């Protein structure tokens, strides 16, 4: 693929290809590319790597009650909350719909749980006004896991997803950690 135009136009198109238009976070395509790089780095240097999978609780109900424009406001504000809680070498992604993921290089599961709790509490503290006389808070369920050396990328993501669903099953608005399961070998 050859992109015509000057350098600024090309740069803008490249940025659009890797980011989510609404939230300005990286998109899921970028997530998989970066996660592969971070897994390679973790394996090479034997450094910890953590992953968060986040899902806004009852988001469909919010969209159905207040409309997609109000739902979009929640997604935009939430993406800002995530970014405000991360270090420079961490990266956040819109995984799809109301799901987000965060890659935390050089981070153990315990450290990642602290980051996840900070994100969870920050979102819960936000107050949205979808209607003039109504104030609504949103919550989030988060799954945390740490990479087990030489495991498959898909196993790593599935474990984060399973941890996030544990948070939902246990009442939502919480962080669950799943780690140290025997890895599937590549």
């Amino acid at each position: 693929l050859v992109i015509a135009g000057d350098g600024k136009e090309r740069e803008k198109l490249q940025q659009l290809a890797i980011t989510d238009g609404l939230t300005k976070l990286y998109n899921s395509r970028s997530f998989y590319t970066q996660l592969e790089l971070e897994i390679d780095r973790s394996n090479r240097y034997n450094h910890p790597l953590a992953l968060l999978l986040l899902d806004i609780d009852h988001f469909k109900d919010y969209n159905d009650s207040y409309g997609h424009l109000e739902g979009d406001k929640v997604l935009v504000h939430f993406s800002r909350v995530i970014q405000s809680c991360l270090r420079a070498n961490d990266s956040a992604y819109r995984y799809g719909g109301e799901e987000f993921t965060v890659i935390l290089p050089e981070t153990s599961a315990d450290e990642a749980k602290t980051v996840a709790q900070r994100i969870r509490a920050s979102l819960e503290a936000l107050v949205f006004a979808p209607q003039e006389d109504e104030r609504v808070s949103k919550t989030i369920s988060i799954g945390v896991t740490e990479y087990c050396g030489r495991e498959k990328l898909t196993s790593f993501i599935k474990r984060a997803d399973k941890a996030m669903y544990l948070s939902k099953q246990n009442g939502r608005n919480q962080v669950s950690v799943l780690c140290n399961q025997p890895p599937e070998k590549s």
Side-chain angles (χ1 to χ4, degrees):
L1 174 68
V2 176
I3 300 174
D6 67 16
K8 286 185 182 182
E9 287 177 26
R10 271 182 277 179
E11 189 176 309
K12 184 177 179 181
L13 286 173
Q14 287 174 330
Q15 191 63 25
L16 287 171
I18 63 170
T19 56
D20 174 65
L22 178 65
T23 63
K24 307 302 182 219
L25 295 177
Y26 293 111
N27 61 26
S28 61
R29 183 180 326 127
S30 298
F31 164 70
Y32 287 102
T33 301
Q34 188 63 36
L35 188 58
E36 284 180 8
L37 292 170
E38 295 300 343
I39 285 173
D40 286 346
R41 188 174 305 154
S42 176
N43 284 327
R44 188 176 326 119
Y45 299 111
N46 198 28
H47 290 173
L49 172 64
L51 183 64
L52 309 181
L53 191 61
L54 313 92
D55 189 74
I56 299 174
D57 296 328
H58 303 293
F59 187 75
K60 183 184 181 321
D61 295 341
Y62 189 89
N63 258 351
D64 291 348
S65 296
Y66 304 112
H68 291 284
L69 292 176
E70 289 301 321
D72 286 352
K73 289 178 186 177
V74 171
L75 296 173
V76 168
H77 286 289
F78 179 58
S79 67
R80 291 179 187 153
V81 164
I82 293 174
Q83 289 174 314
S84 73
C85 294
L86 301 181
R87 306 165 301 183
N89 63 329
D90 301 333
S91 51
Y93 305 81
R94 184 171 180 195
Y95 197 55
E98 70 277 6
E99 286 189 331
F100 298 82
T101 188
V102 175
I103 300 172
L104 300 166
E106 305 288 333
T107 307
S108 69
D110 286 340
E111 295 165 327
K113 183 178 181 183
T114 300
V115 173
Q117 288 289 14
R118 188 168 43 240
I119 292 170
R120 188 202 57 74
S122 296
L123 177 64
E124 187 178 29
L126 287 180
V127 177
F128 297 94
Q131 295 179 349
E132 193 172 306
D133 58 343
E134 193 168 357
R135 302 292 176 259
V136 178
S137 294
K138 294 301 301 162
T139 60
I140 192 151
S141 297
I142 305 176
V144 176
T145 194
E146 185 175 338
Y147 181 69
C148 298
R150 306 287 175 203
E151 79 178 305
K152 293 180 180 179
L153 176 139
T154 54
S155 298
F156 186 34
I157 295 170
K158 283 179 184 176
R159 193 169 52 254
D161 192 50
K162 189 174 181 180
M164 187 264 300
Y165 276 100
L166 279 175
S167 291
K168 289 198 173 291
Q169 291 169 359
N170 292 326
R172 302 179 191 269
N173 191 29
Q174 58 187 277
V175 175
S176 298
V177 180
L178 276 179
C179 283
N180 301 326
Q181 295 183 354
E184 292 178 35
K185 297 294 181 181
S186 330

